């Protein structure tokens, strides 16, 4: 323990943790790792404490048994205000402030963190990772350490946020004790060069291959010094400003466009898209976001505590008959609700442009609405753009782009990661919907579908089994 006296263990009642609330409800304690900065300051992952009314801290022990625990009430720990339990690694850090200072000894002590200007840019540098992770899915929770190397940017292209999170590899997964396992979360990543904390373990990529993910500690020094000074990002849109936006949640394993990409994901994993409220019973969205699904969920009033979720079956979803995956044209669908929505200050509709409206002025400004990920947090936002003419879109997208039916605009990646698919594009001249975002590609060109050419289809009454289509 004298070699790892700065390592602590964390116990929390699993049933309360945000990260596990939908998975485990039994009366049991989750185990994480942490590190000691001072006699009263301890750092760990946010997902190890967020939501818990209390936690336990254990120090100075090689085996994290449930004894000699220090109970810490909720008021004495804080997690980063931008932490999002649904996004792995997003601002996943917490600070615990003990009421009674620790007694430092040969087996209990502190460790320093690197300075703010420290750069993690040497892929050959070796670090040491510490944790109480469980080996082979069994106990005891024995403190271990293993050396690791960073993975370069090229090799970590699957990282959720390459600016905020880094991957490292450890030893041979077949050798007991050389890999990162459940329970190592929150543990310190220590430089072998200067002996200081350079990162905090936040997740593992499976239990084989010795691969883990950590947060560079330099990004969180302000939070560590004073958590109260780090303010959460305000919601860009008020409920009233977003009252005509709905969310569409669906299991990707059903979707024609995504089922292969998400075949190995948990059966409960869902994707979220956008929809547009046209009336008390009509929701407009992209065809690829519902095509193939036996049912989807429509969420309205999502920015308030009165959020409402409505289950919609396939029979209530009308997909344009000319839509064909993987094509982008006619990528439109209309959902008809069985029970009308109750319109109020926070739930309402928006008008469509007239059939003769032309998107032919490249200088015209329009506003795009939808969910976007900014600083690791999904937020409902809007931003102004200028659309590009057909020739420019064609030159960027080639055969993927049908200039007769689609248009595009350039998205500034500094504004976040665009997830506004299915969201409306609204004219700043008449405040009506002129288009709907369909998809985006890596060079930040976003494709949208003009509404006017599809107006007849959108406004066509739904034809039931016993009704004849009027000619």
């Amino acid at each position: 323990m004298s070699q790892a006296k700065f390592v602590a263990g964390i116990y929390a009642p699993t049933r309360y943790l945000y990260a596990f609330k939908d998975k485990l409800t039994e009366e049991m304690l989750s185990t994480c790792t942490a590190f000691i900065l001072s006699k009263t300051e301890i750092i760990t992952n946010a997902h190890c404490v967020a939501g818990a009314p209390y936690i336990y801290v254990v120090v100075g022990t090689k085996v994290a048994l449930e004894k000699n625990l220090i109970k810490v009430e909720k008021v004495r720990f804080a997690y980063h205000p931008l932490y999002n339990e649904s996004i792995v690694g997003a601002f996943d850090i917490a600070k615990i402030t003990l009421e009674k200072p620790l007694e430092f000894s040969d087996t209990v002590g502190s460790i320093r963190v690197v300075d703010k200007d420290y750069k993690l840019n040497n892929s050959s540098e070796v670090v040491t990772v510490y944790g109480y992770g469980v080996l082979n899915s069994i106990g005891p929770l024995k403190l271990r350490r293993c050396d690791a190397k960073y993975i370069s940017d090229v090799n970590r292209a699957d990282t959720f946020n390459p600016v905020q999170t880094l991957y490292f590899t450890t030893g041979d997964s077949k050798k007991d004790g050389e890999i990162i396992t459940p329970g190592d979360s929150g543990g310190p990543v220590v430089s072998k060069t200067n002996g200081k904390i350079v990162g905090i373990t936040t997740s593992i990529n499976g239990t084989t291959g010795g691969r883990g993910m950590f947060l560079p500690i330099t990004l969180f020094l302000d939070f560590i010094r004073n958590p109260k000074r780090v303010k959460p990002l305000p919601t860009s849109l008020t409920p009233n400003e977003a009252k005509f936006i709905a969310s569409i949640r669906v299991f990707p394993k059903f979707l024609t466009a995504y089922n292969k990409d998400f075949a190995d994901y948990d059966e409960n994993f869902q994707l979220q898209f956008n929809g547009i409220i046209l009336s008390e019973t009509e929701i407009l969205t992209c065809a690829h976001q519902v095509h193939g699904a036996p049912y989807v969920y429509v969420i309205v009033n999502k920015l308030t505590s009165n959020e409402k979720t409505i289950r919609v079956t396939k029979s209530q979803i009308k997909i344009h008959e000319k839509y064909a995956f993987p094509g982008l044209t006619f990528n439109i669908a209309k959902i008809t609700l069985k029970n009308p929505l109750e319109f109020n200050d926070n739930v309402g509709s928006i008008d469509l442009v007239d059939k003769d409206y032309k998107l032919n002025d490249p200088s015209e400004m329009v506003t795009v609405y939808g969910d976007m990920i900014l600083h690791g947090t999904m937020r409902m936002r809007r931003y102004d753009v200028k659309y590009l003419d057909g020739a420019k879109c064609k030159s960027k997208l080639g055969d993927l782009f049908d200039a007769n039916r689609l248009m595009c605009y350039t998205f500034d990646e500094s504004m976040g990661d665009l997830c506004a698919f299915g969201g409306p594009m609204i004219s700043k001249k008449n405040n009506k919907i002129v288009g709907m975002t369909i998809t985006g590609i890596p060079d930040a060109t976003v494709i949208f579908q003009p509404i006017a050419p599809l107006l007849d289809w959108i406004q066509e009454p739904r034809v039931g089994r016993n009704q004849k289509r009027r000619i």
Side-chain angles (χ1 to χ4, degrees), residues 9 11 31 58 61-67 132 140-143:
Y11 284 99
T31 307
V58 58
T61 177
K62 192 172 181 179
V63 179
L65 299 177
E66 296 178 21
K67 63 180 182 180
Y132 284 105
L141 303 174
K142 190 175 182 180
L143 182 61

Side-chain angles (χ1 to χ4, degrees), residues 54-57 69-73 98:
Y54 59 88
I55 61 170
Y56 295 103
V57 175
L69 302 180
I70 304 169
K71 188 173 183 179
V72 181
E73 299 293 341
L98 302 179

Side-chain angles (χ1 to χ4, degrees), residues 230-264:
V230 180
K231 303 297 183 182
L233 289 173
T235 302
S236 292
L237 296 182
T238 65
N240 178 263
E241 291 172 325
K243 66 180 182 179
F244 48 83
I245 308 292
S247 287
I248 310 295
R249 291 181 188 162
V250 60
F251 296 101
K253 65 179 182 179
F254 295 134
L255 296 179
T256 306
Y258 296 98
N259 55 10
K260 292 182 180 179
D261 296 333
F262 292 91
D264 297 330

Side-chain angles (χ1 to χ4, degrees), residues 13-255:
T14 308
R15 65 179 303 177
Y16 298 110
L17 294 177
Y18 294 153
F20 301 99
K21 61 184 178 181
D22 296 328
K23 298 179 181 179
L24 298 171
T25 58
E26 310 94 67
E27 288 286 353
M28 60 183 296
L29 293 177
S30 172
T31 307
C32 283
T33 308
F35 54 90
I36 303 169
L37 287 184
S38 71
K39 291 183 177 182
T40 58
E41 298 172 302
I42 293 176
I43 304 297
T44 189
N45 279 153
H47 78 256
C48 297
V49 302
Y54 59 88
I55 61 170
Y56 295 103
V57 175
V58 58
V59 298
T61 177
K62 192 172 181 179
V63 179
L65 299 177
E66 296 178 21
K67 63 180 182 180
N68 299 323
L69 302 180
I70 304 169
K71 188 173 183 179
V72 181
E73 299 293 341
K74 182 179 180 179
V75 294
R76 302 201 68 83
F77 55 84
Y79 53 89
H80 200 288
L82 299 182
Y83 167 65
N84 187 334
E85 70 272 10
S86 64
I87 304 175
V88 174
F91 298 89
D92 194 5
I93 189 168
K95 181 178 181 179
I96 301 163
T97 303
L98 302 179
E99 183 176 9
K100 182 180 179 181
L102 297 171
E103 294 183 7
F104 280 3
S105 65
D106 291 341
T107 57
V108 179
S110 61
I111 188 170
R112 295 174 62 188
V113 298
V114 291
D115 298 328
K116 200 167 188 176
D117 59 356
Y118 179 84
K119 302 296 183 184
L120 288 169
N121 55 10
N122 186 354
S123 59
S124 65
E125 183 178 350
V126 178
V127 295
T128 302
V129 185
Y130 295 78
Y132 284 105
V134 177
L135 289 177
N136 303 319
S137 300
I138 60 174
L141 303 174
K142 190 175 182 180
L143 182 61
R144 297 177 297 115
R145 68 179 177 193
C146 56
D147 290 343
K149 289 185 177 181
Y150 309 133
I151 302 176
S152 68
D153 288 346
V154 174
N155 293 327
R156 55 183 171 86
D158 58 339
T159 305
F160 172 75
N161 185 342
V163 175
Q164 187 190 319
T165 55
L166 299 172
Y167 273 130
F168 55 75
T169 55
T170 56
D172 185 350
S173 61
K174 295 181 181 179
K175 293 182 180 180
D176 196 29
E178 290 193 358
I179 61 172
I180 305 304
T181 65
D184 289 329
S185 292
V189 180
V190 180
S191 168
K192 291 183 73 71
T193 303
N194 57 36
K196 297 179 181 180
I197 299 285
V198 297
I200 178 172
T201 301
T202 186
S203 74
I204 59 173
N205 189 356
T207 55
T208 60
R211 197 173 192 197
M213 186 169 76
F214 70 94
L215 307 180
I217 206 69
T218 54
L219 298 180
F220 304 100
L221 293 181
D222 289 341
F223 170 80
I224 291 173
R225 293 189 185 103
N226 191 340
K228 292 182 179 180
R229 288 189 177 180
V230 180
K231 303 297 183 182
L233 289 173
T235 302
S236 292
L237 296 182
T238 65
N240 178 263
E241 291 172 325
K243 66 180 182 179
F244 48 83
I245 308 292
S247 287
I248 310 295
R249 291 181 188 162
V250 60
F251 296 101
K253 65 179 182 179
F254 295 134
L255 296 179

Side-chain angles (χ1 to χ4, degrees), residues 329-342:
T329 56
F330 303 103
N331 191 350
I332 191 168
K334 186 167 72 171
I335 296 171
T336 302
L337 304 178
K338 293 182 178 179
N339 299 312
L341 297 173
E342 294 183 7

